Amino acid sequence: RVDGKRLWDSLMEMAQIGATEKGGVCRLALTELDGQGRDLFVRWCEEAGCSITVDGIGNIFARRPGRNAALDPIVTGSHLDSQPTGGKFDGTYGVLAGLEVIRTLNDVGYETEAPIEVAVWTNEEGSRFAPATFGSGAFVGDFDLAACLETQDVDGKTVREELERIGYRGPEPVGQHPIGAYFEAHIEQGPILEAEGKTIGVVTGGQGQRWYEVTVTGQEAHAGPTPMARRRNALVGAARMVELVNRIGFDFQPDACATVGMLLNRPNSRNVIPGQVWFTVDLRHPEEERLARMGTALREGCREIAAAAQLELEIEEIWTLPPMPFDAACVDAVERGATAAGYPYRRMVSGAGHDALYVSKVAPTGMIFVPCEDGISHNEIENATPADLEAGCNVLLAAMLERADA
Amino acid sequence: RVDGKRLWDSLMEMAQIGATEKGGVCRLALTELDGQGRDLFVRWCEEAGCSITVDGIGNIFARRPGRNAALDPIVTGSHLDSQPTGGKFDGTYGVLAGLEVIRTLNDVGYETEAPIEVAVWTNEEGSRFAPATFGSGAFVGDFDLAACLETQDVDGKTVREELERIGYRGPEPVGQHPIGAYFEAHIEQGPILEAEGKTIGVVTGGQGQRWYEVTVTGQEAHAGPTPMARRRNALVGAARMVELVNRIGFDFQPDACATVGMLLNRPNSRNVIPGQVWFTVDLRHPEEERLARMGTALREGCREIAAAAQLELEIEEIWTLPPMPFDAACVDAVERGATAAGYPYRRMVSGAGHDALYVSKVAPTGMIFVPCEDGISHNEIENATPADLEAGCNVLLAAMLERADA
Ligand SMILES: NC(=O)NCCC(=O)O
Ligand SMILES: NC(=O)NCCC(=O)O
């Protein structure tokens, strides 16, 4: 059994790095603060006797040797980057739960057959560099590595520059790291476990996701002397599209989600009719066919709105992640871990994207969810209880040991 | 008669300062570039034999002496600051038309009875520091000077700091500068003169204006696992309010304008349901009573939208400018100038706010409009013909001489 207090203390110490006034964390991918978070993790792992490998996209692997060095390691992990107004647990929990597994094995001097590793995946959040789950997507070859390295943030800084600046552009070729099986612990980020009084979510897979970038172009003009009838107001068009996206989310219930998360208005001056608006769309559904229909509804709806308002329109689908079922044996291993410890649990599909979804393309994979308060994440008030976090970590330990000693 | 080519050349030289790739100007109030524009104007005025006074809010007065130093000067002018994606003529034309009047009088050695002055008013555009017509508003005492000096841009820099940095926090007490009469030449910034084939707009006054700041607060949450029905999406609420503002503009036709020009979405991350949106509203109408009703429609409509979507709402009216008729004698002087020169003209109300509207509170005032291409301004493609600009300057010369020698 893991040491819940030690896990909690490590979470609180990591949360100091990028701590916000409202009790959250702002530790955007590949910033100075992300570098500090990584450094702390690496130091803790080295103190726990692990060896460290970093690959060319900044993914970190901390290894605790097993009896049989020829076996592929059983890997766990998650990410240390956060949203701009993120919480203390999203990602960090999965990383530090992995560290706690290693510390627990050290405490009792337990030697596993296969090595045990903890991975930190680069830029999982996708808020500084799009899309999300960048490090794991590149790892499994779904994202082109060269393109990933040249991806820019809004200030034009590239992933390559920023990796080099914080010292995490490692020598290991991306995707060459062996993985025998992968487990990831994470807060649920939704309201289901809490509502049903369950401690553990046995995750059976992830829903599909499509990300878009939309540009609406009208004509800038003076807000005073330009008659309403002559206007080509890009923001009015974009506002109708925000409403459309929201309606698509409701139209494809149950299970659909549709969100405009980011919106930039230009030139953004009080007395200028907006000439151009750029915004992002995030569509999700557990079924591929419904998700595709949501995408069609988005394109057709935006086209109609733009045409009616004499606006130009560009829509680009920049990322798509199909619904992804996990390995049945890994899912069962997680369930057995929950049953053995006597934790109430349920099977569920993940609403969020996770590195585990990409890793599942190259290795048998499972995930463990624990409840978070009010189902809120991507918010500074994100919260989870020490007891639930400890429970998830115990299930992680059990599942990893089952595979490592198999 | 003025020298149209010299006026045009000066306009083109000034347009180099802050020139944008698309042929426009970005010379935001009190930036380094605004300082350079002011320096060039001051140098030109000194070369034309003028003395310079600067007041405590950075308004500049360049004086050409008259025969009778006891008479209050006849003043013209406008502003040198621009929108972020502004044009070459908005404001600058009025300032350099004034300079051209002085150069023309110098050419022929004409001595007026009253002194002639050209004023440059600080921060007319209101895009870096709100509200607009800042320098003239403070000059006539409508804005509190101390509050003006502490007004911050989005980066937290104050008007006071920025005035000092560019060297335009002058010693003259604000509002103490005498003005016998005031005329301002400006591009129309609307489509009427061009549509009717008129060269000169004889401006009879300005429409009323109300500016608001609206904050909509919901709850940030993850765009993936947060069910649609549980969301409190601030951007969806704001989008409905953008639509509402646009509808108010149409509902109060003829003559109403209603615009959301600036909008900031938070935290502005692709996979986060927006938690807070801040935006501005600009309402205009030539009749005070209709304008007030537009304001009521805004408040009530926003309140309904917020309540229905479980969002919190704050609306603040940050500025109001009532409809403002100009001095009948000054309007007539402008009309006589147009008639005498044989330019086709019409009387009209200004859709834009201008420094002249504030100055009209302390001195008899008139304005001269010239057409601009497609009625477009607050846009880098803003354009006007050398012939129309020369015509407006000739009318300005005639009107100023009529008052200066009266
Ligand atoms: N776990 C998590 O918040 N991932 C971010 C990627 C996404 O689902 O949008
Ligand atoms: N002339 C001009 O563009 N003024 C800006 C103030 C306004 O918004 O009307």
Side-chain angles (χ1 to χ4, degrees), chain B residues 27-73:
Chain B
R27 200 164 57 224
L28 295 178
L30 308 186
T31 54
E32 206 60 52
L33 290 168
D34 186 18
Q36 288 174 29
R38 289 161 171 260
D39 290 348
L40 179 59
F41 168 74
V42 166
R43 177 161 69 73
W44 278 340
C45 289
E46 286 174 343
E47 286 168 6
C50 297
S51 57
I52 303 292
T53 313
V54 180
D55 75 11
I57 193 78
N59 297 319
I60 308 172
F61 302 91
R63 182 187 190 97
R64 182 180 190 268
R67 245 191 307 269
N68 185 347
L71 289 176
D72 285 346

Side-chain angles (χ1 to χ4, degrees), chain A residues 110-192:
Chain A
Y110 188 94
E111 212 182 352
T112 51
E113 267 303 304
I116 295 278
E117 291 193 0
V118 184
V120 174
W121 305 101
T122 293
N123 182 41
E124 192 268 352
E125 293 291 359
S127 42
R128 182 173 179 207
F129 300 102
T133 52
F134 208 85
S136 51
F139 183 86
V140 304
D142 257 47
F143 299 165
D144 177 62
L145 178 64
C148 281
L149 288 170
E150 298 318 319
T151 300
Q152 299 182 358
D153 69 4
V154 286
D155 299 325
K157 292 196 183 133
T158 65
V159 167
R160 181 197 303 273
E161 286 170 62
E162 293 296 275
L163 275 172
E164 282 165 2
R165 202 174 55 81
I166 65 166
Y168 281 90
R169 186 148 146 73
E172 188 176 63
V174 176
Q176 299 299 302
H177 202 90
I179 299 183
Y182 182 77
F183 294 96
E184 182 169 343
H186 208 285
I187 55 168
E188 178 196 349
Q189 308 185 275
I192 299 171

Side-chain angles (χ1 to χ4, degrees), chain A residues 22-334:
Chain A
K22 292 190 192 156
V25 169
C26 176
R27 200 165 56 225
L28 295 178
L30 308 187
T31 54
E32 206 60 51
L33 290 169
D34 187 18
Q36 287 173 29
R38 288 162 172 260
D39 290 348
L40 179 59
F41 169 74
V42 165
R43 177 162 69 75
W44 279 339
C45 289
E46 287 174 343
E47 285 167 7
C50 297
S51 57
I52 304 291
T53 313
V54 180
D55 75 12
I57 193 77
N59 298 319
I60 308 172
F61 302 90
R63 183 187 190 98
R64 181 178 190 270
R67 245 189 310 268
N68 186 347
L71 290 176
D72 284 345
I74 306 307
V75 183
T76 186
S78 193
H79 59 98
L80 289 174
D81 67 318
S82 84
Q83 290 288 329
T85 51
K88 295 189 276 288
F89 305 100
D90 179 354
T92 308
Y93 170 56
V95 171
L96 298 185
L99 175 64
E100 178 53 35
V101 164
I102 286 177
R103 286 171 167 171
T104 300
L105 297 177
N106 287 349
D107 287 346
V108 294
Y110 188 94
E111 212 182 352
T112 51
E113 267 303 304
I116 295 278
E117 291 193 0
V118 184
V120 174
W121 305 101
T122 293
N123 182 41
E124 192 268 352
E125 293 291 359
S127 42
R128 182 173 179 207
F129 300 102
T133 52
F134 208 85
S136 51
F139 183 86
V140 304
D142 257 47
F143 299 165
D144 177 62
L145 178 64
C148 281
L149 288 170
E150 298 318 319
T151 300
Q152 299 182 358
D153 69 4
V154 286
D155 299 325
K157 292 196 183 133
T158 65
V159 167
R160 181 197 303 273
E161 286 170 62
E162 293 296 275
L163 275 172
E164 282 165 2
R165 202 174 55 81
I166 65 166
Y168 281 90
R169 186 148 146 73
E172 188 176 63
V174 176
Q176 299 299 302
H177 202 90
I179 299 183
Y182 182 77
F183 294 96
E184 182 169 343
H186 208 285
I187 55 168
E188 178 196 349
Q189 308 185 275
I192 299 171
L193 294 176
E194 186 182 62
E196 300 187 1
K198 306 284 200 245
T199 306
I200 298 294
V202 175
V203 185
T204 56
Q207 64 180 342
Q209 246 173 287
R210 296 190 180 204
W211 280 17
Y212 300 82
E213 292 180 356
V214 183
T215 307
V216 183
T217 307
Q219 183 166 49
E220 284 165 34
H222 197 303
T226 309
M228 296 303 292
R230 281 178 73 106
R231 297 178 175 209
R232 292 172 52 222
N233 187 326
L235 184 60
V236 170
R240 290 173 187 159
M241 295 175 198
V242 168
E243 179 73 90
L244 166 77
V245 168
N246 195 55
R247 198 166 55 241
I248 290 172
F250 281 101
D251 284 351
F252 285 81
Q253 288 303 311
D255 293 333
C257 282
T259 312
V260 174
M262 199 171 179
L263 184 144
L264 299 174
N265 178 53
R266 301 200 179 98
N268 220 31
S269 181
R270 291 162 194 262
N271 44 8
V272 183
I273 299 162
Q276 190 166 71
V277 177
W278 177 96
F279 62 91
T280 63
V281 179
D282 175 321
L283 301 181
R284 308 199 187 196
H285 201 285
E287 294 158 40
E288 182 63 24
E289 185 267 336
R290 302 270 292 166
L291 183 60
R293 282 176 51 206
M294 290 169 72
T296 306
L298 173 72
R299 285 183 191 277
E300 286 176 359
C302 286
R303 218 173 291 138
E304 276 170 32
I305 290 166
Q310 293 174 277
L311 299 167
E312 287 149 45
L313 177 72
E314 269 179 73
I315 304 191
E316 202 188 340
E317 184 181 281
I318 64 152
W319 182 44
T320 163
L321 181 71
M324 201 84 77
F326 284 143
D327 176 76
C330 286
V331 174
D332 290 346
V334 170

